[in-house]
């Protein structure tokens, strides 16, 4: 090849690379906040968002400078092609292995779809290889070009692998938000804000009502009204003040832990018979099946929270586990949290309110796993005082609430976190609530999604059933379709 033509071709390709990198770098830096958020939401490199948000524009500008200087041009071309291979490998993983497709480009490149961007990058990789090859048509040149391609691809794969492991098991409070939820499919007006989820079975949702405690409202899976049922209690309990209802399969439980008492009945006739009316006071109850329930007792001497299981078909199977909850301060406020049960897997979960921890157990309260939520609050910031007149203990100031409400379904844990993670747009926190998803068996963080607020208020509760998410807020109940495969694919 004529030396003049060869030098002109190399110089042209070098300048094209340089102008591309300059444009891309300044696009990122001029919209830096958006760029770092997009990297933080990337399904590939979330864990390295901060480092990459600085390193990538710096590398692009440095290589651009080298491409303009003849003395460093060849080395800059090697490095530029390697960087472009890395970018291309990133897009390849996005298109073939990612559960969702984000956007992390700036300027005019943002107008391309990912397939077009992939082809665009391949073109620049090819031009870089041509420039390097025509500079020196020797066998070792081809080896170096091949080495650049392999090293760029392997670097991205290694980055992806490390980031995935860090996201799931060493997460430093970085969330991912694949488009899990479809816009609300159904909404039903309830007229009152006193409803709560009592349970669901065979496509029927059951709602209890704190102002009409013996009345159960039935909705189908699309939130169409089916009817109401009134529970008949035998024998009647004079201590009944504000009972709660929970439903599992064809059976229901009517209970009041401050009495205490526990009734059980069948949803075929809605007649409840008394099963327990003595023992420790309890503050929470969740059913495991038609005869077993998990309760949170209050120790009569220390007021500490204790988890227990009652088997109404055989009391000899009852279990009391005073050691299940990890005490850090007083065993009462520091272990405060919520009981959940996964009816499909016959397991129980306990999610702490004021720290980033949860525990999962078998139906007989044997520990299966102890997990952490992705925030960094491992010890609750509690200040407790005793009132002089009554001796009652209470908070000296409201503590930082970490996990507010939660739901458990089919081996997955869904937690409404109250804390903002890194690289999250603050505007979303004004209009939405965050739900984080965990695999209970592996304790891996999977991803997160937003739930709309109701007239500025956070949802009162939510329940996940298969691919449906039901949310109670204000005087409405709303159903969302949950794209569960997005989280499954990220495991």
């Amino acid at each position: 090849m004529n030396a003049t033509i060869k030098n002109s071709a190399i110089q042209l390709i070098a300048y094209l690379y340089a102008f591309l990198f300059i444009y891309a770098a300044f696009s990122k830096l001029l919209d830096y906040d958006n760029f770092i958020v997009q990297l933080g939401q990337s399904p590939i490199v979330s864990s390295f968002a901060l480092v990459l948000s600085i390193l990538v524009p710096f590398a692009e500008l440095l290589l651009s400078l080298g491409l303009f200087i003849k003395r460093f041009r060849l080395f800059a071309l090697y490095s530029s092609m390697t960087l472009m291979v890395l970018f291309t490998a990133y897009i390849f993983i996005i298109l073939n292995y990612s559960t969702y497709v984000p956007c992390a480009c700036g300027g005019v490149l943002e107008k391309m779809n990912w397939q077009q961007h992939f082809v665009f990058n391949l073109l620049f990789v090819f031009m870089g290889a041509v420039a390097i090859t025509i500079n020196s048509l020797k066998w070792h040149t081809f080896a170096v070009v091949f080495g650049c391609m392999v090293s760029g691809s392997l670097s991205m794969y290694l980055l992806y692998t490390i980031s995935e492991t860090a996201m799931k098991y060493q997460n430093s409070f970085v969330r991912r938000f694949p488009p899990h939820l479809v816009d609300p499919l159904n909404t039903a007006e309830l007229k009152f804000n006193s409803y709560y989820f009592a349970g669901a079975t065979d496509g029927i949702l059951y709602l209890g009502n704190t102002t009409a405690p013996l009345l159960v409202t039935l909705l189908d899976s699309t939130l169409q009204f089916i009817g109401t049922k009134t529970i008949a209690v035998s024998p009647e309990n004079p201590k009944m003040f504000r009972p709660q209802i929970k439903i599992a399969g064809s059976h229901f439980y009517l209970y009041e832990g401050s009495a205490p008492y526990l009734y059980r009945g069948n949803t075929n006739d809605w007649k409840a018979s008394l099963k327990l009316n003595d023992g420790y006071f309890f503050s929470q109850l969740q059913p495991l099946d038609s005869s077993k329930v998990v309760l949170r007792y209050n120790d009569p001497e220390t007021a500490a929270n204790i988890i227990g299981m009652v088997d109404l078909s055989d009391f000899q199977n009852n279990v009391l586990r005073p050691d299940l909850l990890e005490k850090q301060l007083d065993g009462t406020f520091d272990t405060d949290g919520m009981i959940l049960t996964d009816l499909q897997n016959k397991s129980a979960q306990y999610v702490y309110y004021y720290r980033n921890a949860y525990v999962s157990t078998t139906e007989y309260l044997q520990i299966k796993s102890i997990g952490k939520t992705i925030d960094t609050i491992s010890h609750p910031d509690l200040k407790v005082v005793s009132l002089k007149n009554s001796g009652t203990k209470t908070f000296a100031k409201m503590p930082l609430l970490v996990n507010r409400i939660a739901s458990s379904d089919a081996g997955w844990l869904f937690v409404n976190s109250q804390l903002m993670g890194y690289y999250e747009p603050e505007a979303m926190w004004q209009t939405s609530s965050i739900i984080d998803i965990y695999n209970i068996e592996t304790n891996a963080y999977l991803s997160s999604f937003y739930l709309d607020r109701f007239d500025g208020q956070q949802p009162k509760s939510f329940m996940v059933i298969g691919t449906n998410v039901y949310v109670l807020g204000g005087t409405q109940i709303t159903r969302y379709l949950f794209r569960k495969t997005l989280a499954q694919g990220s495991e």
Side-chain angles (χ1 to χ4, degrees), residues 17 63 67 72-85 128-129 131-133 135-136 138 140-149 151-152:
Y17 261 104
L63 287 175
L67 289 165
F72 303 112
R73 185 169 295 155
L74 184 60
F75 177 78
L77 274 172
Y78 282 123
S79 302
S80 297
M81 191 189 73
T82 304
L83 184 62
M84 190 59 70
V85 169
I132 294 169
T133 302
N135 179 73
S136 177
K138 296 181 180 180
H140 71 267
T141 303
F142 295 98
V144 172
V145 169
F146 180 74
C148 289
M149 292 183 177
S151 62

Side-chain angles (χ1 to χ4, degrees), residues 6-74:
K6 181 179 72 172
N7 292 333
S8 297
I10 294 172
Q11 183 173 319
L12 175 62
I13 293 172
Y15 286 173
L16 286 173
Y17 261 104
F19 286 126
L20 174 66
F21 284 161
I22 290 171
Y23 177 79
F26 276 100
S27 295
K28 295 177 179 74
L29 293 174
L30 291 174
D31 195 10
Y32 181 76
D33 290 342
N34 186 45
F35 174 58
I36 193 172
V37 166
Q38 289 172 338
L39 281 177
Q41 300 306 317
S42 166
I44 308 299
V45 294
S46 307
S47 299
F48 303 104
L50 182 59
V51 173
L52 291 177
S53 69
I54 299 170
L55 185 60
V56 170
F58 176 78
E60 290 174 333
L61 291 174
L62 186 62
L63 287 175
S64 299
L65 181 62
L67 289 165
F68 280 116
I69 302 174
K70 188 175 181 179
R71 180 182 176 185
F72 303 112
R73 185 169 295 155
L74 184 60

Side-chain angles (χ1 to χ4, degrees), residues 403-428:
N403 304 309
R404 178 175 161 268
I405 53 178
S407 179
S408 177
D409 178 67
W412 289 12
L413 179 65
F414 302 80
V415 180
N416 172 213
S417 173
Q418 294 296 95
L419 303 179
M420 182 185 295
Y422 296 118
Y423 322 126
E424 294 175 20
E426 291 189 30
M428 291 301 298

Side-chain angles (χ1 to χ4, degrees), residues 181-200:
L181 296 189
V182 178
D183 290 338
L185 297 180
N186 313 98
T187 298
E189 178 61 48
L190 299 174
K191 297 183 180 180
F192 304 102
N193 62 1
S194 52
Y195 286 94
Y196 62 90
F197 288 116

Side-chain angles (χ1 to χ4, degrees), residues 333 336 353-354 377 379-385 393-404 418-419:
F333 295 99
D336 200 5
Y353 282 135
Y354 307 116
I377 310 298
H379 289 78
D381 180 19
L382 302 177
K383 289 184 171 48
V384 180
V385 296
K393 291 184 177 181
T394 187
F395 292 123
K397 66 173 185 176
M398 288 306 298
L400 179 65
L401 183 62
V402 177
N403 304 309
R404 178 175 161 268
Q418 294 296 95
L419 303 179

Side-chain angles (χ1 to χ4, degrees), residues 158-172:
L158 184 63
L159 201 63
Y160 167 59
T161 304
I162 295 173
S163 180
E164 279 296 284
T165 302
M167 282 292 294
K168 292 176 182 177
Y169 304 108
Q170 296 96 37
N171 194 297
S172 57

